[in-house]
Amino acid sequence: MMNAAFAELKMNAEYRAVSLSREEFAVRFPELKRESSGMNVTIPYKSDVIPLVDELDEVSSRIGAVNVIKHSGSKYIGYNTDAGGIVNSLKEHGKGAPRSALLVGAGGAARAFCEAMNELHCASITVVVRDPVRGERFVAEMGRAFPNIRFGFATLPQLAHADTDLIFNATPIGSSEHTLPDQLKRVIYGHATVFDAVYRPMKTDLLKTAELRGCSVIYGYEMLLHQGALAFKIWTGREAPVETMRRALLNSLEAAA
Ligand code: NAP
């Protein structure tokens, strides 16, 4: 997706994926940082990199997660474009004003979702967690960051019904390793829009269920595309060629399916 964008704009740049174990991270990350003009950071390092950059933009500082780093002069600046990726995906589907949302998960993508909901003036979010202690902590923290949103939480077995206009999955549930729990299946119905952050496989069990039950769906690749387009602009100062990036992304996801 990024290399297709560089090629389209005839830029002399290359995007490379590097996988680091926890043991390698402390040594390799500073080297990689010096060697590149910009980076993406993904699971599980989005919070770990915060002390390793010089400045944070407003969003990454508020939600405590960085997914983009820009090398700017002598400084490394951390940004978060996951939230903007969620907002732009919803807007592209004409779903830019959810009243209430059901958020599954309480990690980095979930934090970005809360930021996105705040931007879209969503009034309430129920967070579905597997560990109530973590749920309570997450809800308290997000409540302080976003005082205009009413937060509550539930564990999966507590989930009886959900009268909500947006369901967002911010867990690996539905990816090849994790099946979709029945408790979650039960709350997918009606007018809700179901948005899955998982993008591999492209059509997850959650999205298949949602389509069968007449819900609108938004794919995880759409968030990936839009967060990437925002990152491209941060690194290069140029508008991203979004349709070229979309084609490249879909080709690579379809080839991997
Ligand atoms: P994270 O910070 O590690 O958080 C993962 C969350 O999922 C945690 O709340 C965790 O619960 C929960 N979880 C993990 N396994 C679970 C399971 N088997 N059942 C129920 N809950 C489970 O990860 P993240 O960065 O938020 O990423 C979450 C997902 O979103 C990943 O699949 C990632 O690939 C995807 N993502 C996609 C995009 C995109 O652009 N489309 C961007 C970011 C992330 P505990 O707290 O109990 O461990």
Side-chain angles (χ1 to χ4, degrees), residues 15-31:
Y15 186 93
R16 255 182 287 152
V18 182
S19 179
L20 297 183
S21 66
R22 284 231 174 254
E23 297 73 47
E24 292 167 308
F25 183 74
V27 176
R28 280 292 284 140
F29 180 77
E31 292 170 1

Side-chain angles (χ1 to χ4, degrees), residues 47 61-65 106 111 114 134-147 151:
S47 300
S61 156
R62 190 161 38 239
I63 65 176
R111 286 163 183 270
C114 294
R134 276 197 207 168
E136 203 163 348
R137 207 185 307 138
F138 179 81
V139 159
E141 201 186 324
M142 291 297 105
R144 281 192 298 277
F146 305 110
F151 285 94

Side-chain angles (χ1 to χ4, degrees), residues 59-247:
V59 176
S60 61
S61 156
R62 190 161 38 239
I63 65 176
V66 163
N67 74 317
V68 174
I69 296 172
K70 182 180 180 175
H71 189 176
S72 180
S74 59
K75 285 189 173 165
Y76 295 92
I77 305 171
Y79 299 83
N80 189 294
T81 61
D82 282 337
I86 294 169
V87 169
N88 289 350
S89 303
L90 285 164
K91 285 188 174 167
E92 200 169 59
H93 284 260
K95 310 276 183 192
R99 267 177 317 110
S100 67
L102 188 75
L103 165 62
V104 187
R111 286 163 183 270
F113 180 77
C114 294
E115 170 74 30
M117 290 302 99
N118 190 54
E119 197 175 308
L120 298 175
H121 307 292
C122 175
S124 78
I125 299 179
T126 301
V127 188
V128 182
V129 289
R130 49 183 180 181
D131 173 357
V133 176
R134 276 197 207 168
E136 203 163 348
R137 207 185 307 138
F138 179 81
V139 159
E141 201 186 324
M142 291 297 105
R144 281 192 298 277
F146 305 110
N148 293 330
I149 301 179
R150 201 171 53 253
F151 285 94
F153 74 91
T155 58
L156 267 178
Q158 288 169 337
L159 205 57
H161 71 285
D163 181 19
T164 181
D165 25 38
L166 177 62
I167 298 174
F168 184 80
N169 176 34
T171 74
I173 286 175
S175 59
S176 24
E177 303 98 77
H178 302 274
T179 50
L180 183 65
D182 282 344
Q183 294 105 325
L184 199 53
K185 267 191 198 162
R186 277 206 296 271
V187 300
I188 298 170
Y189 55 82
H191 63 276
T193 296
V194 178
F195 188 165
D196 201 338
V198 174
Y199 52 85
R200 211 181 275 125
M202 212 165 90
K203 197 178 257 192
T204 59
D205 287 346
L206 179 71
L207 294 180
K208 282 185 200 157
T209 306
E211 270 186 351
L212 281 173
R213 298 190 181 169
C215 303
S216 314
V217 301
I218 304 181
Y219 290 85
Y221 87 80
E222 299 177 71
M223 174 179 171
L224 187 65
L225 169 70
H226 288 294
Q227 67 74 31
L230 294 168
F232 187 91
K233 177 130 198 228
I234 290 170
W235 294 322
T236 66
R238 298 176 67 175
E239 287 304 328
V242 176
E243 290 316 312
T244 298
M245 291 168 73
R246 191 192 304 269
R247 272 195 304 278

